[in-house]
């Protein structure tokens, strides 16, 4: 099978129509080889608990959403084996929050990823460590690829393709 030349574009196309990501409102903002950024616009009416802070389950769901994208960025189809999240700062106001992931170990059967969750003031709100099981490989996605001449941010990709999303 021929390998794709533009991995981020291929992954954005692959996630189009993903019910969880679209239904939950998660945006894939950046894709790099071995890392990714996803974000979510926090709405207090939908995401806050009775104490006026963003529910931890929302934050864990966002943190989990970055994992499949990050795995795909190195050609791996992954499933979560374990998650450890440290909540550092509560999310107490509306706005876009994001998670940035990075692969710290890439083995044949497991991948370890560290992620940082940031609030809408770019302050660290949580850290996450995940161990992922490699289910199989995307034969069309190389494990290592160059970002030379490749669009890695969603805004640039949308502009190139004439998409006018905010």
């Amino acid at each position: 099978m021929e390998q794709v030349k533009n991995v981020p574009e291929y992954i954005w196309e692959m996630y189009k129509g993903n019910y969880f990501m679209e239904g939950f409102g998660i945006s894939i903002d950046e894709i790099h080889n071995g890392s990714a950024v996803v974000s979510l616009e926090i709405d207090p009416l939908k995401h806050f608990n009775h104490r006026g802070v963003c529910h931890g389950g929302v934050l864990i769901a966002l943190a989990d959403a970055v994992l499949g994208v990050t795995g795909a960025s190195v050609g791996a189809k992954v499933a979560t084996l374990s998650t450890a999240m440290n909540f550092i700062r509560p999310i107490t106001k509306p706005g876009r929050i994001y998670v940035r992931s990075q692969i710290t170990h890439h083995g044949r059967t497991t991948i370890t990823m560290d992620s940082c969750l940031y609030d809408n003031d770019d302050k660290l709100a949580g850290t996450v460590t995940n161990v992922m099981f490699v289910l199989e490989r995307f034969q069309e996605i190389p494990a290592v690829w160059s970002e030379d001449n490749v669009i890695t941010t969603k805004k640039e990709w949308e502009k190139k393709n004439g998409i006018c999303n905010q």
Side-chain angles (χ1 to χ4, degrees), residues 142-159:
V144 177
W145 47 274
S146 171
E147 294 186 10
D148 293 342
N149 302 314
V150 173
I151 293 173
T152 59
T153 66
K154 187 174 184 183
K155 286 184 180 180
E156 291 173 359
W157 179 72
E158 288 174 340
K159 185 177 178 182

Side-chain angles (χ1 to χ4, degrees), residues 34 70-71 74 76 78 81 102-114 129-134:
T70 306
V74 295
V78 296
L81 286 173
Q102 180 69 49
I103 291 176
T104 55
H105 163 77
H106 186 180
R108 187 178 55 79
T109 59
T110 62
I111 295 175
T112 303
M113 300 179 199
D114 287 335
T129 298
N130 294 90
V131 178
M132 309 302 292
F133 179 68
V134 178

Side-chain angles (χ1 to χ4, degrees), residues 54 59 62 85-92 97-99 115-128:
C54 187
L59 303 178
L62 180 62
M85 184 161 190
N86 297 302
F87 297 95
I88 296 169
R89 173 186 324 276
I91 307 291
T92 58
I97 63 172
Y98 65 97
V99 176
S115 303
C116 292
L117 169 72
Y118 296 92
D119 67 13
N120 54 1
D121 292 323
D122 287 332
K123 292 181 181 172
L124 184 65
T127 60
V128 190

Side-chain angles (χ1 to χ4, degrees), residues 17-86:
N18 178 291
Y19 182 77
F20 176 77
M21 299 287 271
E22 288 185 2
F24 206 66
I26 296 172
S27 172
I28 302 170
D29 298 335
E30 296 179 28
I31 301 171
H32 304 277
N33 189 219
S35 69
V37 177
V38 299
S39 65
L40 174 68
E41 186 70 29
I42 293 298
D43 176 353
L45 295 175
K46 290 179 7 184
H47 302 118
F48 281 18
N49 62 24
H50 64 283
R51 291 188 306 277
V53 298
C54 187
H55 192 283
V58 172
L59 303 178
I60 288 177
L62 180 62
D64 189 70
V66 78
L67 303 175
V69 177
T70 306
S73 79
V74 295
K77 295 179 186 179
V78 296
T80 305
L81 286 173
S82 69
T83 297
M85 184 161 190
N86 297 302

